[in-house]
Amino acid sequence: MTTTIPRSASMKPSRTADHASVAEVLVDEDAAAEDLTPEQLAAEWEAEGPPPGGRAAALGSTLVVTVLAAAAALLSLGMGLGTPQQPGPGLWPFLVSVAAVVIGLAHLVTGRRGGEGEKFTRESLLAVHGLVTLVGLVLLMPVIGFEIPALLLSFVWMKFLGGETWRAATLYSVLVVVAFYLIFISALGTSIPHLF
């Protein structure tokens, strides 16, 4: 007598099945995902994702982003825009901030047709942690240069926000800092604060 296991149950690793390796489980999940139509796969992703956040959450998040972008545009004006031939330090932050304001305003008007977005969950705090560590990088760069803060930022983002292994996060962080140094300090000769 043959017993069939439902697809949803076969995709999850069993705690009692110690003989199944992680690689076998991943192969089984990939094979099961290949058998699904795009519509079924989209429905499965939607079922696994966070619940809808509602229109109030979508409106609130859009307002926060728009207000922050407007504040950033005002701050960048104080830094000086310069001219297209000789741009000031505030030109690119100003252009990016204005683009974010325009997108935010457009979303306020047309966003109602785009669904309700996702509900804020614990994973939503990852963006806050990313912002806090980025502010730390900006504050530390003028004091000790960009190398150490950039190395720490890359490591934190890859290991704790991205879920990389310790070895991968360490290796990638070092490669990122070396690449930035070679591009922006050695090749372009920019005035980014640096130790070496």
Side-chain angles (χ1 to χ4, degrees), residues 12-28:
K12 295 184 179 178
S14 170
R15 291 187 183 267
T16 59
D18 293 332
H19 63 278
S21 69
V22 174
E24 290 171 341
V25 171
L26 291 176
V27 168
D28 289 344

mmCIF file with all atom_site columns, all heavy atoms in Angstrom, residues 12-28:
data_model
loop_
_atom_site.group_PDB
_atom_site.id
_atom_site.type_symbol
_atom_site.label_atom_id
_atom_site.label_alt_id
_atom_site.label_comp_id
_atom_site.label_asym_id
_atom_site.label_entity_id
_atom_site.label_seq_id
_atom_site.pdbx_PDB_ins_code
_atom_site.Cartn_x
_atom_site.Cartn_y
_atom_site.Cartn_z
_atom_site.occupancy
_atom_site.B_iso_or_equiv
_atom_site.pdbx_formal_charge
_atom_site.auth_seq_id
_atom_site.auth_comp_id
_atom_site.auth_asym_id
_atom_site.auth_atom_id
_atom_site.pdbx_PDB_model_num
ATOM 1   N N   . LYS A 1 12 ? 8.272  20.897 3.827  1.00 0.00 ? 12 LYS A N   1
ATOM 2   C CA  . LYS A 1 12 ? 8.822  21.327 5.096  1.00 0.00 ? 12 LYS A CA  1
ATOM 3   C C   . LYS A 1 12 ? 9.678  20.205 5.677  1.00 0.00 ? 12 LYS A C   1
ATOM 4   O O   . LYS A 1 12 ? 9.263  19.067 5.735  1.00 0.00 ? 12 LYS A O   1
ATOM 5   C CB  . LYS A 1 12 ? 7.701  21.693 6.064  1.00 0.00 ? 12 LYS A CB  1
ATOM 6   C CG  . LYS A 1 12 ? 6.916  22.885 5.587  1.00 0.00 ? 12 LYS A CG  1
ATOM 7   C CD  . LYS A 1 12 ? 5.886  23.300 6.595  1.00 0.00 ? 12 LYS A CD  1
ATOM 8   C CE  . LYS A 1 12 ? 5.139  24.518 6.086  1.00 0.00 ? 12 LYS A CE  1
ATOM 9   N NZ  . LYS A 1 12 ? 4.107  24.950 6.990  1.00 0.00 ? 12 LYS A NZ  1
ATOM 10  N N   . PRO A 1 13 ? 10.891 20.557 6.152  1.00 0.00 ? 13 PRO A N   1
ATOM 11  C CA  . PRO A 1 13 ? 11.747 19.532 6.726  1.00 0.00 ? 13 PRO A CA  1
ATOM 12  C C   . PRO A 1 13 ? 11.188 19.061 8.052  1.00 0.00 ? 13 PRO A C   1
ATOM 13  O O   . PRO A 1 13 ? 10.711 19.843 8.853  1.00 0.00 ? 13 PRO A O   1
ATOM 14  C CB  . PRO A 1 13 ? 13.091 20.238 6.912  1.00 0.00 ? 13 PRO A CB  1
ATOM 15  C CG  . PRO A 1 13 ? 12.773 21.689 6.955  1.00 0.00 ? 13 PRO A CG  1
ATOM 16  C CD  . PRO A 1 13 ? 11.538 21.867 6.120  1.00 0.00 ? 13 PRO A CD  1
ATOM 17  N N   . SER A 1 14 ? 11.252 17.763 8.283  1.00 0.00 ? 14 SER A N   1
ATOM 18  C CA  . SER A 1 14 ? 10.769 17.185 9.528  1.00 0.00 ? 14 SER A CA  1
ATOM 19  C C   . SER A 1 14 ? 11.897 17.163 10.539 1.00 0.00 ? 14 SER A C   1
ATOM 20  O O   . SER A 1 14 ? 13.028 16.846 10.214 1.00 0.00 ? 14 SER A O   1
ATOM 21  C CB  . SER A 1 14 ? 10.258 15.767 9.274  1.00 0.00 ? 14 SER A CB  1
ATOM 22  O OG  . SER A 1 14 ? 10.002 15.109 10.489 1.00 0.00 ? 14 SER A OG  1
ATOM 23  N N   . ARG A 1 15 ? 11.578 17.511 11.795 1.00 0.00 ? 15 ARG A N   1
ATOM 24  C CA  . ARG A 1 15 ? 12.592 17.489 12.842 1.00 0.00 ? 15 ARG A CA  1
ATOM 25  C C   . ARG A 1 15 ? 13.036 16.067 13.150 1.00 0.00 ? 15 ARG A C   1
ATOM 26  O O   . ARG A 1 15 ? 14.136 15.843 13.615 1.00 0.00 ? 15 ARG A O   1
ATOM 27  C CB  . ARG A 1 15 ? 12.060 18.167 14.099 1.00 0.00 ? 15 ARG A CB  1
ATOM 28  C CG  . ARG A 1 15 ? 11.879 19.661 13.934 1.00 0.00 ? 15 ARG A CG  1
ATOM 29  C CD  . ARG A 1 15 ? 11.509 20.276 15.262 1.00 0.00 ? 15 ARG A CD  1
ATOM 30  N NE  . ARG A 1 15 ? 11.262 21.700 15.103 1.00 0.00 ? 15 ARG A NE  1
ATOM 31  C CZ  . ARG A 1 15 ? 12.166 22.630 15.280 1.00 0.00 ? 15 ARG A CZ  1
ATOM 32  N NH1 . ARG A 1 15 ? 13.383 22.303 15.618 1.00 0.00 ? 15 ARG A NH1 1
ATOM 33  N NH2 . ARG A 1 15 ? 11.877 23.900 15.121 1.00 0.00 ? 15 ARG A NH2 1
ATOM 34  N N   . THR A 1 16 ? 12.149 15.099 12.893 1.00 0.00 ? 16 THR A N   1
ATOM 35  C CA  . THR A 1 16 ? 12.507 13.715 13.186 1.00 0.00 ? 16 THR A CA  1
ATOM 36  C C   . THR A 1 16 ? 13.322 13.086 12.067 1.00 0.00 ? 16 THR A C   1
ATOM 37  O O   . THR A 1 16 ? 13.981 12.086 12.279 1.00 0.00 ? 16 THR A O   1
ATOM 38  C CB  . THR A 1 16 ? 11.248 12.871 13.416 1.00 0.00 ? 16 THR A CB  1
ATOM 39  O OG1 . THR A 1 16 ? 10.432 12.937 12.249 1.00 0.00 ? 16 THR A OG1 1
ATOM 40  C CG2 . THR A 1 16 ? 10.468 13.392 14.619 1.00 0.00 ? 16 THR A CG2 1
ATOM 41  N N   . ALA A 1 17 ? 13.287 13.648 10.894 1.00 0.00 ? 17 ALA A N   1
ATOM 42  C CA  . ALA A 1 17 ? 14.033 13.091 9.766  1.00 0.00 ? 17 ALA A CA  1
ATOM 43  C C   . ALA A 1 17 ? 15.449 13.660 9.781  1.00 0.00 ? 17 ALA A C   1
ATOM 44  O O   . ALA A 1 17 ? 15.781 14.546 9.020  1.00 0.00 ? 17 ALA A O   1
ATOM 45  C CB  . ALA A 1 17 ? 13.325 13.397 8.460  1.00 0.00 ? 17 ALA A CB  1
ATOM 46  N N   . ASP A 1 18 ? 16.276 13.150 10.692 1.00 0.00 ? 18 ASP A N   1
ATOM 47  C CA  . ASP A 1 18 ? 17.635 13.653 10.827 1.00 0.00 ? 18 ASP A CA  1
ATOM 48  C C   . ASP A 1 18 ? 18.512 13.250 9.645  1.00 0.00 ? 18 ASP A C   1
ATOM 49  O O   . ASP A 1 18 ? 19.532 13.870 9.402  1.00 0.00 ? 18 ASP A O   1
ATOM 50  C CB  . ASP A 1 18 ? 18.270 13.130 12.123 1.00 0.00 ? 18 ASP A CB  1
ATOM 51  C CG  . ASP A 1 18 ? 17.589 13.698 13.352 1.00 0.00 ? 18 ASP A CG  1
ATOM 52  O OD1 . ASP A 1 18 ? 17.055 14.818 13.247 1.00 0.00 ? 18 ASP A OD1 1
ATOM 53  O OD2 . ASP A 1 18 ? 17.590 13.028 14.404 1.00 0.00 ? 18 ASP A OD2 1
ATOM 54  N N   . HIS A 1 19 ? 18.117 12.207 8.928  1.00 0.00 ? 19 HIS A N   1
ATOM 55  C CA  . HIS A 1 19 ? 18.949 11.744 7.823  1.00 0.00 ? 19 HIS A CA  1
ATOM 56  C C   . HIS A 1 19 ? 18.845 12.656 6.600  1.00 0.00 ? 19 HIS A C   1
ATOM 57  O O   . HIS A 1 19 ? 19.685 12.605 5.722  1.00 0.00 ? 19 HIS A O   1
ATOM 58  C CB  . HIS A 1 19 ? 18.561 10.313 7.443  1.00 0.00 ? 19 HIS A CB  1
ATOM 59  C CG  . HIS A 1 19 ? 17.130 10.217 6.951  1.00 0.00 ? 19 HIS A CG  1
ATOM 60  N ND1 . HIS A 1 19 ? 16.063 10.133 7.822  1.00 0.00 ? 19 HIS A ND1 1
ATOM 61  C CD2 . HIS A 1 19 ? 16.629 10.214 5.699  1.00 0.00 ? 19 HIS A CD2 1
ATOM 62  C CE1 . HIS A 1 19 ? 14.938 10.066 7.102  1.00 0.00 ? 19 HIS A CE1 1
ATOM 63  N NE2 . HIS A 1 19 ? 15.259 10.122 5.839  1.00 0.00 ? 19 HIS A NE2 1
ATOM 64  N N   . ALA A 1 20 ? 17.804 13.493 6.526  1.00 0.00 ? 20 ALA A N   1
ATOM 65  C CA  . ALA A 1 20 ? 17.645 14.390 5.370  1.00 0.00 ? 20 ALA A CA  1
ATOM 66  C C   . ALA A 1 20 ? 18.525 15.611 5.558  1.00 0.00 ? 20 ALA A C   1
ATOM 67  O O   . ALA A 1 20 ? 18.446 16.286 6.561  1.00 0.00 ? 20 ALA A O   1
ATOM 68  C CB  . ALA A 1 20 ? 16.185 14.815 5.232  1.00 0.00 ? 20 ALA A CB  1
ATOM 69  N N   . SER A 1 21 ? 19.379 15.863 4.605  1.00 0.00 ? 21 SER A N   1
ATOM 70  C CA  . SER A 1 21 ? 20.264 17.015 4.703  1.00 0.00 ? 21 SER A CA  1
ATOM 71  C C   . SER A 1 21 ? 19.540 18.271 4.222  1.00 0.00 ? 21 SER A C   1
ATOM 72  O O   . SER A 1 21 ? 18.504 18.203 3.565  1.00 0.00 ? 21 SER A O   1
ATOM 73  C CB  . SER A 1 21 ? 21.519 16.793 3.850  1.00 0.00 ? 21 SER A CB  1
ATOM 74  O OG  . SER A 1 21 ? 21.166 16.817 2.481  1.00 0.00 ? 21 SER A OG  1
ATOM 75  N N   . VAL A 1 22 ? 20.114 19.410 4.564  1.00 0.00 ? 22 VAL A N   1
ATOM 76  C CA  . VAL A 1 22 ? 19.532 20.680 4.137  1.00 0.00 ? 22 VAL A CA  1
ATOM 77  C C   . VAL A 1 22 ? 19.518 20.762 2.617  1.00 0.00 ? 22 VAL A C   1
ATOM 78  O O   . VAL A 1 22 ? 18.564 21.249 2.008  1.00 0.00 ? 22 VAL A O   1
ATOM 79  C CB  . VAL A 1 22 ? 20.336 21.852 4.741  1.00 0.00 ? 22 VAL A CB  1
ATOM 80  C CG1 . VAL A 1 22 ? 19.851 23.177 4.194  1.00 0.00 ? 22 VAL A CG1 1
ATOM 81  C CG2 . VAL A 1 22 ? 20.241 21.830 6.250  1.00 0.00 ? 22 VAL A CG2 1
ATOM 82  N N   . ALA A 1 23 ? 20.558 20.269 1.966  1.00 0.00 ? 23 ALA A N   1
ATOM 83  C CA  . ALA A 1 23 ? 20.615 20.312 0.508  1.00 0.00 ? 23 ALA A CA  1
ATOM 84  C C   . ALA A 1 23 ? 19.475 19.510 -0.111 1.00 0.00 ? 23 ALA A C   1
ATOM 85  O O   . ALA A 1 23 ? 18.870 19.944 -1.093 1.00 0.00 ? 23 ALA A O   1
ATOM 86  C CB  . ALA A 1 23 ? 21.956 19.774 0.021  1.00 0.00 ? 23 ALA A CB  1
ATOM 87  N N   . GLU A 1 24 ? 19.162 18.334 0.475  1.00 0.00 ? 24 GLU A N   1
ATOM 88  C CA  . GLU A 1 24 ? 18.061 17.525 -0.060 1.00 0.00 ? 24 GLU A CA  1
ATOM 89  C C   . GLU A 1 24 ? 16.731 18.246 0.093  1.00 0.00 ? 24 GLU A C   1
ATOM 90  O O   . GLU A 1 24 ? 15.889 18.212 -0.801 1.00 0.00 ? 24 GLU A O   1
ATOM 91  C CB  . GLU A 1 24 ? 18.015 16.173 0.664  1.00 0.00 ? 24 GLU A CB  1
ATOM 92  C CG  . GLU A 1 24 ? 19.184 15.257 0.320  1.00 0.00 ? 24 GLU A CG  1
ATOM 93  C CD  . GLU A 1 24 ? 19.217 14.028 1.212  1.00 0.00 ? 24 GLU A CD  1
ATOM 94  O OE1 . GLU A 1 24 ? 18.598 14.052 2.288  1.00 0.00 ? 24 GLU A OE1 1
ATOM 95  O OE2 . GLU A 1 24 ? 19.869 13.048 0.832  1.00 0.00 ? 24 GLU A OE2 1
ATOM 96  N N   . VAL A 1 25 ? 16.551 18.910 1.224  1.00 0.00 ? 25 VAL A N   1
ATOM 97  C CA  . VAL A 1 25 ? 15.305 19.645 1.446  1.00 0.00 ? 25 VAL A CA  1
ATOM 98  C C   . VAL A 1 25 ? 15.172 20.778 0.436  1.00 0.00 ? 25 VAL A C   1
ATOM 99  O O   . VAL A 1 25 ? 14.107 21.000 -0.145 1.00 0.00 ? 25 VAL A O   1
ATOM 100 C CB  . VAL A 1 25 ? 15.250 20.195 2.893  1.00 0.00 ? 25 VAL A CB  1
ATOM 101 C CG1 . VAL A 1 25 ? 14.076 21.149 3.074  1.00 0.00 ? 25 VAL A CG1 1
ATOM 102 C CG2 . VAL A 1 25 ? 15.159 19.046 3.882  1.00 0.00 ? 25 VAL A CG2 1
ATOM 103 N N   . LEU A 1 26 ? 16.276 21.493 0.187  1.00 0.00 ? 26 LEU A N   1
ATOM 104 C CA  . LEU A 1 26 ? 16.233 22.593 -0.774 1.00 0.00 ? 26 LEU A CA  1
ATOM 105 C C   . LEU A 1 26 ? 15.947 22.081 -2.180 1.00 0.00 ? 26 LEU A C   1
ATOM 106 O O   . LEU A 1 26 ? 15.213 22.714 -2.948 1.00 0.00 ? 26 LEU A O   1
ATOM 107 C CB  . LEU A 1 26 ? 17.549 23.370 -0.748 1.00 0.00 ? 26 LEU A CB  1
ATOM 108 C CG  . LEU A 1 26 ? 17.807 24.169 0.532  1.00 0.00 ? 26 LEU A CG  1
ATOM 109 C CD1 . LEU A 1 26 ? 19.186 24.811 0.482  1.00 0.00 ? 26 LEU A CD1 1
ATOM 110 C CD2 . LEU A 1 26 ? 16.737 25.222 0.743  1.00 0.00 ? 26 LEU A CD2 1
ATOM 111 N N   . VAL A 1 27 ? 16.539 20.949 -2.544 1.00 0.00 ? 27 VAL A N   1
ATOM 112 C CA  . VAL A 1 27 ? 16.279 20.366 -3.860 1.00 0.00 ? 27 VAL A CA  1
ATOM 113 C C   . VAL A 1 27 ? 14.804 19.983 -3.983 1.00 0.00 ? 27 VAL A C   1
ATOM 114 O O   . VAL A 1 27 ? 14.166 20.218 -5.001 1.00 0.00 ? 27 VAL A O   1
ATOM 115 C CB  . VAL A 1 27 ? 17.202 19.148 -4.108 1.00 0.00 ? 27 VAL A CB  1
ATOM 116 C CG1 . VAL A 1 27 ? 16.746 18.366 -5.316 1.00 0.00 ? 27 VAL A CG1 1
ATOM 117 C CG2 . VAL A 1 27 ? 18.635 19.607 -4.282 1.00 0.00 ? 27 VAL A CG2 1
ATOM 118 N N   . ASP A 1 28 ? 14.242 19.382 -2.907 1.00 0.00 ? 28 ASP A N   1
ATOM 119 C CA  . ASP A 1 28 ? 12.825 19.018 -2.923 1.00 0.00 ? 28 ASP A CA  1
ATOM 120 C C   . ASP A 1 28 ? 11.945 20.251 -3.079 1.00 0.00 ? 28 ASP A C   1
ATOM 121 O O   . ASP A 1 28 ? 10.972 20.242 -3.827 1.00 0.00 ? 28 ASP A O   1
ATOM 122 C CB  . ASP A 1 28 ? 12.439 18.280 -1.629 1.00 0.00 ? 28 ASP A CB  1
ATOM 123 C CG  . ASP A 1 28 ? 13.036 16.872 -1.574 1.00 0.00 ? 28 ASP A CG  1
ATOM 124 O OD1 . ASP A 1 28 ? 13.468 16.389 -2.643 1.00 0.00 ? 28 ASP A OD1 1
ATOM 125 O OD2 . ASP A 1 28 ? 13.072 16.294 -0.477 1.00 0.00 ? 28 ASP A OD2 1
#
